[in-house]
Amino acid sequence: MSRYKVSLIVPVYGVERYIRQFAESALSQTCADVQYVFVNDGTKDRSMEILSELIDEKYSHLKDRILIVNKENGGLPSARKAGLDVAEGEYILFADSDDWLEPDAVEKIIAKADETDADIVYFDLVKEYGHKRSYKKEREYTAAAKGDFIINLFNYKSHGYTVTKCFRKSLYTDNVIYMPKLGMHEDIYLMSQIIFYANSLVHLPEFLYHYRKDNPDSFCAQDKEKRHVSSTTNLLDLYEHYRGNLKGSPIEHAAGSILMRAGQHSLMHSHDF
């Protein structure tokens, strides 16, 4: 039996400007049945120092539910995997340490999970640009339509964000789940597999997560060519795992989209994929 209802896994790297706001939003959640897993991905700034000071000053009563994992820098996917490997929750919820959560986000997510017994509860987010915001509402899917969900992750008709999908940990532990190597479209890489193995999923139509878009140090702020090369390298790696047995695989109907994107980016950037 799981020790907690949900484990919130948070990679930490280079976010000393934002970690306090995120940690306040996470550690002040109204739900009590949460394990907090902060993964220090070898950050070189004061992010972990600021986090530790905040915990000591304001959240010392939560220390028995806070786990700090220290590792050498390996990028976002490896940090998330390090958190997954030690998480003790029935459900997994990821968050990025330069974003923030609504105060009752976890409580509402778990209430929906308890109500429906869903393998995945997915919800909506707000993109925060500093001077403006954009509300991103997801489509409605059932387990019977999870194939459409996966296809739409690859053609941008649905949101791949890992941070808006709370999933039962057994989807990861009971199946062969490949992890991405790089940090662009790593969410689509992972979630296409998680969704494939889910027997039930439900949409919680509330804007519970604030996704920061004005962080100049984020991976998404890199130039377009770097992002395209990283994305295509990741998705071709996913394709390679299944190419010998595409039928009945998580990417059976998305393989064409992956190869088409590789071809487009090869032409755009003179990169030999």
Side-chain angles (χ1 to χ4, degrees):
M1 179 176 290
S2 301
R3 186 176 176 186
Y4 303 95
K5 188 67 179 182
V6 62
S7 291
L8 178 62
I9 299 175
V10 188
V12 178
Y13 184 83
V15 289
E16 64 180 13
R17 294 170 58 188
Y18 311 112
I19 186 64
R20 179 174 289 273
Q21 180 183 13
F22 171 79
E24 290 270 8
S25 77
L27 298 173
S28 297
Q29 285 293 306
T30 55
C31 178
D33 198 8
V34 185
Q35 176 192 30
Y36 299 96
V37 182
F38 292 95
V39 182
N40 172 17
D41 190 33
T43 189
K44 297 177 176 62
D45 65 359
R46 295 186 61 250
S47 296
M48 295 306 300
E49 183 180 342
I50 293 170
L51 175 62
S52 296
E53 290 174 353
L54 180 64
I55 293 171
D56 288 339
E57 293 169 3
K58 194 172 181 179
Y59 299 101
S60 59
H61 61 289
L62 297 178
K63 282 189 175 182
D64 62 334
R65 292 197 275 126
I66 298 173
L67 178 62
I68 305 293
V69 178
N70 295 298
K71 62 182 289 293
E72 293 183 2
N73 178 248
L76 181 60
S78 71
R80 284 179 172 163
K81 184 180 186 304
L84 270 170
D85 289 344
V86 299
E88 299 178 80
E90 178 185 356
Y91 285 86
I92 299 296
L93 180 62
F94 287 111
D96 292 337
S97 49
D98 55 350
D99 299 330
W100 68 95
L101 297 158
E102 283 292 301
D104 57 354
V106 178
E107 182 178 0
K108 288 182 174 179
I109 293 165
I110 294 308
K112 180 60 72 171
D114 286 340
E115 173 192 340
T116 62
D117 196 34
D119 285 340
I120 300 175
V121 176
Y122 65 99
F123 46 95
D124 304 325
L125 61 68
V126 185
K127 284 188 175 181
E128 300 284 355
Y129 294 88
H131 60 290
K132 66 176 182 177
R133 55 179 42 170
S134 173
Y135 292 86
K136 299 298 180 182
K137 188 174 180 62
E138 186 54 275
R139 298 181 178 209
E140 297 285 343
Y141 295 100
T142 62
K146 64 185 181 182
D148 294 333
F149 198 172
I150 292 171
I151 291 171
N152 287 340
L153 297 182
F154 288 89
N155 64 21
Y156 302 110
K157 292 181 180 179
S158 278
H159 309 308
Y161 309 118
T162 306
V163 296
T164 60
K165 298 168 185 65
C166 182
F167 60 92
R168 204 182 296 273
K169 188 184 178 184
S170 59
L171 295 176
Y172 172 75
T173 56
D174 293 354
N175 299 288
V176 176
I177 302 292
Y178 300 104
M179 296 296 289
K181 298 178 180 179
L182 303 176
M184 191 66 192
H185 282 155
E186 83 292 335
D187 43 10
I188 296 174
Y189 189 121
L190 176 61
M191 294 315 304
S192 60
Q193 299 173 85
I194 295 294
I195 292 170
F196 177 79
Y197 289 111
N199 292 317
S200 55
L201 58 153
V202 63
H203 179 216
L204 175 57
E206 296 198 39
F207 298 98
L208 302 178
Y209 192 92
H210 296 264
Y211 177 38
R212 187 185 299 277
K213 294 291 290 181
D214 61 345
N215 179 0
D217 299 319
S218 71
F219 194 91
C220 290
Q222 292 186 10
D223 69 73
K224 184 178 292 187
E225 180 175 351
K226 286 183 179 179
R227 288 187 282 117
H228 283 175
V229 170
S230 178
S231 166
T232 304
T233 301
N234 250 359
L235 296 184
L236 283 176
D237 179 69
L238 178 63
Y239 173 77
E240 285 294 328
H241 285 299
Y242 294 107
R243 67 178 298 182
N245 192 18
L246 273 176
K247 188 172 178 59
S249 77
I251 63 163
E252 176 181 1
H253 302 295
S257 296
I258 292 173
L259 297 177
M260 183 177 295
R261 185 177 303 181
Q264 290 173 337
H265 290 171
S266 291
L267 293 173
M268 288 174 64
H269 307 299
S270 299
H271 189 97
D272 184 10
F273 284 110

